[in-house]
Coordinates of all heavy atoms in Angstrom, one line a residue:
V15 N 42.9 44.6 12.3 CA 44.2 45.0 12.5 C 45.1 44.4 11.5 O 45.1 43.3 11.2 CB 44.6 44.6 13.9 CG1 46.1 45.0 14.3 CG2 43.7 45.1 15.1
T16 N 46.1 45.3 11.2 CA 47.2 45.0 10.2 C 48.5 45.8 10.7 O 48.4 46.5 11.6 CB 46.8 45.0 8.8 OG1 47.7 44.5 7.9 CG2 46.8 46.7 8.4
N17 N 49.5 45.6 9.9 CA 50.7 46.5 10.1 C 51.5 46.3 8.7 O 51.1 45.7 7.8 CB 51.5 46.0 11.1 CG 52.2 44.6 11.0 OD1 51.9 43.9 10.1 ND2 53.1 44.3 11.8
D18 N 52.7 46.9 8.7 CA 53.6 46.8 7.6 C 55.0 46.0 8.1 O 55.8 45.7 7.2 CB 54.0 48.0 6.9 CG 55.0 49.0 7.6 OD1 55.2 48.5 8.8 OD2 55.3 50.0 7.0
D19 N 55.2 45.7 9.4 CA 56.3 45.0 9.8 C 56.2 43.6 9.7 O 57.2 42.8 10.1 CB 56.7 45.5 11.1 CG 57.1 46.9 11.2 OD1 58.0 47.4 10.5 OD2 56.5 47.7 11.9
G20 N 55.0 43.1 9.4 CA 54.8 41.7 9.5 C 54.0 41.1 10.7 O 54.2 41.8 11.8
V42 N 44.7 40.6 10.1 CA 45.1 40.2 8.7 C 46.4 41.0 8.4 O 46.4 42.2 8.1 CB 44.1 40.4 7.7 CG1 44.5 39.9 6.3 CG2 42.7 39.8 8.0
A43 N 47.5 40.3 8.5 CA 48.8 41.1 8.3 C 49.8 40.5 7.4 O 49.6 39.2 7.2 CB 49.5 41.3 9.7
P44 N 50.8 41.1 6.8 CA 51.7 40.5 5.9 C 52.5 39.3 6.5 O 52.7 39.5 7.7 CB 52.6 41.6 5.6 CG 51.8 43.0 5.8 CD 50.9 42.6 7.0
K46 N 55.5 38.8 5.9 CA 56.8 39.2 6.1 C 56.8 40.7 6.2 O 56.0 41.4 5.8 CB 57.7 38.6 5.0 CG 57.2 39.1 3.5 CD 58.1 38.4 2.4 CE 57.5 38.8 1.1 NZ 56.2 38.1 0.9
P47 N 58.0 41.4 6.5 CA 58.0 42.8 6.6 C 57.7 43.5 5.3 O 58.2 43.0 4.2 CB 59.4 43.2 7.0 CG 59.8 41.9 7.8 CD 59.3 40.7 7.0
Q48 N 57.0 44.5 5.2 CA 56.6 45.3 4.1 C 56.7 46.9 4.2 O 55.9 47.5 3.6 CB 55.1 44.9 3.7 CG 54.8 43.6 3.4 CD 55.1 43.1 1.8 OE1 55.3 44.0 1.1 NE2 55.1 41.9 1.6
S49 N 57.8 47.2 5.0 CA 57.9 48.6 5.3 C 58.3 49.3 3.8 O 58.8 48.9 3.0 CB 59.1 48.7 6.2 OG 58.8 48.2 7.5
G50 N 57.7 50.6 3.8 CA 58.0 51.4 2.6 C 57.2 51.1 1.5 O 57.4 51.5 0.4
K51 N 56.1 50.2 1.6 CA 55.2 49.9 0.5 C 54.2 50.8 0.2 O 53.5 50.7 -0.8 CB 54.7 48.5 0.8 CG 55.7 47.4 0.9 CD 56.4 47.1 -0.3 CE 57.2 45.9 -0.2 NZ 58.0 45.7 -1.4
S52 N 54.0 51.9 1.0 CA 52.9 52.9 0.9 C 51.6 52.3 0.6 O 51.4 51.5 1.4 CB 53.5 53.7 -0.4 OG 52.5 54.9 -0.5
H53 N 51.0 52.6 -0.5 CA 49.7 52.1 -0.8 C 49.7 51.1 -1.9 O 48.7 50.9 -2.6 CB 48.7 53.2 -1.2 CG 47.4 53.0 -0.7 ND1 46.5 53.8 -0.1 CD2 46.4 51.8 -1.0 CE1 45.3 53.4 0.1 NE2 45.2 52.2 -0.4
A54 N 50.9 50.4 -2.0 CA 51.0 49.5 -3.2 C 50.2 48.3 -3.1 O 49.7 47.9 -1.9 CB 52.5 48.8 -3.1
V55 N 49.5 47.9 -4.2 CA 48.6 46.6 -4.1 C 49.3 45.7 -5.2 O 49.9 46.0 -6.1 CB 47.2 47.0 -4.7 CG1 46.5 47.9 -3.5 CG2 47.2 47.8 -6.0
G79 N 50.6 39.5 0.5 CA 50.6 40.7 -0.1 C 51.1 42.0 0.9 O 51.7 41.6 1.9
S80 N 50.8 43.1 0.4 CA 51.2 44.4 1.0 C 50.1 44.7 2.2 O 49.1 44.1 2.2 CB 51.2 45.5 0.0 OG 49.8 45.8 -0.5
P81 N 50.5 45.7 3.0 CA 49.4 46.0 3.9 C 48.0 46.5 3.3 O 47.1 46.0 3.9 CB 50.1 47.3 4.6 CG 51.6 47.0 4.5 CD 51.7 46.4 3.1
A82 N 48.1 47.1 2.3 CA 46.8 47.5 1.6 C 46.2 46.3 1.0 O 45.0 46.2 1.3 CB 47.1 48.5 0.4
D83 N 46.9 45.4 0.5 CA 46.3 44.1 0.1 C 45.7 43.4 1.3 O 44.6 42.7 1.1 CB 47.5 43.1 -0.4 CG 47.9 43.5 -1.7 OD1 47.2 44.1 -2.6 OD2 49.2 43.2 -1.9
C84 N 46.2 43.4 2.4 CA 45.6 42.8 3.5 C 44.3 43.4 3.9 O 43.4 42.6 4.3 CB 46.6 43.0 4.8 SG 48.2 42.0 4.7
I85 N 44.1 44.7 3.9 CA 42.7 45.4 4.1 C 41.8 44.9 3.1 O 40.6 44.6 3.4 CB 43.0 46.8 4.1 CG1 44.0 47.2 5.4 CG2 41.6 47.4 4.4 CD1 43.5 46.7 6.7
K86 N 42.3 44.9 1.8 CA 41.4 44.6 0.7 C 40.8 43.2 0.8 O 39.7 42.8 0.7 CB 42.1 44.8 -0.7 CG 42.2 46.2 -1.1 CD 42.9 46.2 -2.4 CE 43.1 47.7 -2.8 NZ 41.8 48.3 -3.3
V100 N 39.4 50.2 11.5 CA 40.7 49.5 11.1 C 41.9 50.2 11.7 O 41.9 51.4 11.9 CB 40.8 49.9 9.5 CG1 42.2 49.5 9.1 CG2 39.8 48.9 8.7
I101 N 42.8 49.3 12.2 CA 43.9 49.7 12.9 C 45.1 49.2 12.3 O 45.2 48.0 12.0 CB 43.8 49.5 14.5 CG1 42.7 50.1 15.0 CG2 45.1 50.0 15.1 CD1 42.5 49.9 16.6
S102 N 46.2 50.1 12.0 CA 47.4 49.5 11.5 C 48.6 50.0 12.4 O 48.7 51.2 12.8 CB 47.6 50.3 10.1 OG 48.7 49.8 9.4
G103 N 49.5 49.0 12.8 CA 50.6 49.3 13.6 C 50.7 48.2 14.7 O 50.2 47.1 14.5
I104 N 51.3 48.5 15.7 CA 52.2 49.7 16.0 C 53.4 49.6 15.2 O 54.2 48.6 15.3 CB 52.4 49.9 17.5 CG1 51.2 50.0 18.3 CG2 53.3 51.2 17.6 CD1 51.5 49.9 19.8
N105 N 53.7 50.7 14.3 CA 54.8 50.5 13.4 C 56.1 50.8 14.2 O 56.2 51.5 15.3 CB 54.6 51.7 12.4 CG 55.8 51.6 11.4 OD1 55.9 50.7 10.7 ND2 56.6 52.6 11.3
H106 N 57.2 50.0 13.7 CA 58.4 50.3 14.4 C 59.0 51.4 13.6 O 59.7 51.2 12.6 CB 59.3 49.0 14.1 CG 58.8 47.8 15.0 ND1 59.6 47.2 15.9 CD2 57.7 47.2 14.9 CE1 58.9 46.1 16.4 NE2 57.8 46.1 15.8
G107 N 59.0 52.7 14.1 CA 59.5 53.8 13.4 C 58.5 54.9 13.1 O 57.4 54.6 13.1
S108 N 59.1 56.1 12.9 CA 58.1 57.3 12.8 C 57.5 57.3 11.4 O 58.1 56.7 10.4 CB 59.0 58.6 12.8 OG 58.2 59.6 12.6
N109 N 56.2 57.7 11.5 CA 55.5 58.0 10.1 C 55.0 59.5 10.2 O 54.1 59.7 9.7 CB 54.4 57.1 9.9 CG 54.9 55.8 9.3 OD1 55.6 55.7 8.3 ND2 54.4 54.6 10.0
A110 N 55.8 60.4 10.8 CA 55.5 61.9 10.8 C 56.1 62.4 9.6 O 56.8 61.8 8.8 CB 56.2 62.4 12.1
I112 N 57.1 63.6 6.0 CA 57.0 63.1 4.7 C 56.9 61.6 4.7 O 56.5 60.9 3.8 CB 58.2 63.6 4.0 CG1 57.9 63.3 2.3 CG2 59.5 62.9 4.4 CD1 56.7 64.0 1.8
N113 N 57.3 60.9 5.9 CA 57.3 59.5 6.0 C 55.9 58.9 5.7 O 55.8 57.7 5.3 CB 57.7 59.1 7.5 CG 59.1 59.4 7.7 OD1 60.1 59.2 6.8 ND2 59.4 60.3 8.7
I114 N 54.8 59.7 5.9 CA 53.5 59.1 5.7 C 53.3 58.8 4.3 O 52.5 57.8 3.9 CB 52.4 60.2 6.1 CG1 51.1 59.5 6.1 CG2 52.5 61.4 5.3 CD1 50.0 60.5 6.6
V115 N 54.0 59.4 3.2 CA 53.9 59.2 1.9 C 54.5 57.7 1.7 O 53.9 57.0 0.7 CB 54.6 60.2 1.0 CG1 54.7 59.8 -0.4 CG2 54.0 61.6 1.3
Y116 N 55.4 57.4 2.2 CA 56.0 56.0 2.0 C 55.6 54.9 2.8 O 55.9 53.7 2.5 CB 57.6 56.1 2.2 CG 58.3 57.3 1.4 CD1 58.6 58.5 2.0 CD2 58.5 57.2 0.2 CE1 59.4 59.4 1.4 CE2 59.1 58.2 -0.6 CZ 59.5 59.3 0.1 OH 60.1 60.4 -0.7
S117 N 54.8 55.2 3.8 CA 54.5 54.2 4.9 C 53.5 53.1 4.5 O 52.4 53.5 4.0 CB 53.9 55.1 6.1 OG 53.3 54.2 7.0
G118 N 53.9 52.0 4.7 CA 52.9 50.8 4.4 C 51.9 50.9 5.5 O 50.7 50.4 5.4
T119 N 52.3 51.3 6.8 CA 51.3 51.4 7.9 C 50.2 52.2 7.5 O 49.0 51.9 7.7 CB 52.2 51.9 9.1 OG1 53.1 51.0 9.6 CG2 51.1 52.0 10.3
M120 N 50.5 53.5 7.0 CA 49.4 54.5 6.8 C 48.8 54.1 5.4 O 47.7 54.5 5.2 CB 50.0 55.8 6.7 CG 50.4 56.4 8.1 SD 49.0 56.2 9.3 CE 47.8 57.3 8.4
G121 N 49.4 53.4 4.4 CA 48.7 52.9 3.3 C 47.6 52.0 3.6 O 46.5 52.0 3.0
A122 N 47.7 51.1 4.6 CA 46.7 50.3 5.0 C 45.6 51.0 5.7 O 44.4 50.8 5.5 CB 47.3 49.2 6.0
A123 N 46.0 52.1 6.5 CA 44.9 52.8 7.2 C 44.2 53.6 6.2 O 42.9 53.7 6.3 CB 45.5 53.7 8.2
M124 N 44.7 54.2 5.1 CA 44.1 55.0 4.2 C 43.2 54.0 3.4 O 42.1 54.4 2.8 CB 45.2 55.6 3.2 CG 46.0 56.7 4.0 SD 45.1 58.1 4.5 CE 45.2 59.1 2.9
E125 N 43.6 52.9 3.2 CA 42.7 51.8 2.5 C 41.4 51.6 3.3 O 40.4 51.5 2.6 CB 43.4 50.4 2.2 CG 42.7 49.4 1.5 CD 42.4 49.9 0.1 OE1 43.1 50.6 -0.6 OE2 41.4 49.4 -0.5
G126 N 41.5 51.6 4.5 CA 40.3 51.4 5.3 C 39.3 52.7 5.2 O 38.2 52.6 4.9
S133 N 39.7 54.7 10.5 CA 41.0 54.0 10.6 C 42.0 54.8 11.2 O 42.1 56.0 11.3 CB 41.4 53.8 9.1 OG 40.4 53.0 8.4
I134 N 43.0 54.1 11.8 CA 44.1 54.8 12.7 C 45.4 54.0 12.3 O 45.4 52.8 12.3 CB 43.8 54.6 14.1 CG1 42.4 55.1 14.5 CG2 44.8 55.5 14.9 CD1 42.2 54.9 15.9
G135 N 46.4 54.7 12.1 CA 47.7 54.1 12.0 C 48.7 54.5 13.1 O 48.6 55.9 13.6
F136 N 49.2 53.7 13.9 CA 50.0 54.0 15.1 C 51.4 53.8 14.8 O 51.8 52.7 14.2 CB 49.5 53.2 16.3 CG 48.2 53.5 16.9 CD1 47.1 52.7 16.7 CD2 48.1 54.7 17.6 CE1 45.9 53.1 17.3 CE2 46.8 55.1 18.2 CZ 45.8 54.2 18.0
S137 N 52.4 54.6 15.2 CA 53.8 54.4 15.1 C 54.5 54.8 16.4 O 54.2 55.9 16.9 CB 54.2 55.3 13.8 OG 53.7 55.0 12.7
F141 N 63.0 52.3 15.7 CA 63.1 51.2 14.8 C 63.5 49.9 15.2 O 63.7 48.9 14.4 CB 64.0 51.7 13.6 CG 63.6 52.8 12.8 CD1 63.9 54.2 13.0 CD2 62.7 52.6 11.7 CE1 63.4 55.2 12.4 CE2 62.2 53.7 10.9 CZ 62.6 55.0 11.3
C172 N 40.4 59.3 9.0 CA 41.7 58.6 9.2 C 42.7 59.5 10.1 O 42.7 60.5 9.9 CB 42.4 58.2 7.9 SG 44.0 57.2 7.9
L173 N 43.4 58.7 11.0 CA 44.3 59.5 11.9 C 45.6 58.8 11.8 O 45.9 57.6 11.7 CB 43.8 59.3 13.3 CG 42.6 59.9 13.8 CD1 42.4 59.8 15.3 CD2 42.7 61.4 13.4
N174 N 46.7 59.6 11.7 CA 48.0 59.3 11.6 C 48.6 59.6 13.1 O 48.7 60.8 13.5 CB 48.9 59.9 10.6 CG 50.4 59.6 10.7 OD1 50.8 58.6 11.3 ND2 51.2 60.5 10.1

Side-chain angles (χ1 to χ4, degrees):
V15 178
T16 193
N17 72 345
D18 74 356
D19 293 304
V42 183
K46 57 185 177 297
Q48 296 278 348
S49 296
K51 296 297 185 182
S52 186
H53 210 127
V55 293
S80 69
D83 286 330
C84 290
I85 299 301
K86 286 179 177 291
V100 168
I101 300 180
S102 186
I104 302 169
N105 187 61
H106 294 243
S108 171
N109 277 318
I112 194 64
N113 296 307
I114 190 175
V115 174
Y116 305 107
S117 168
T119 299
M120 290 308 300
M124 295 290 272
E125 182 65 30
S133 302
I134 311 172
F136 289 108
S137 301
F141 288 99
C172 186
L173 295 179
N174 178 22

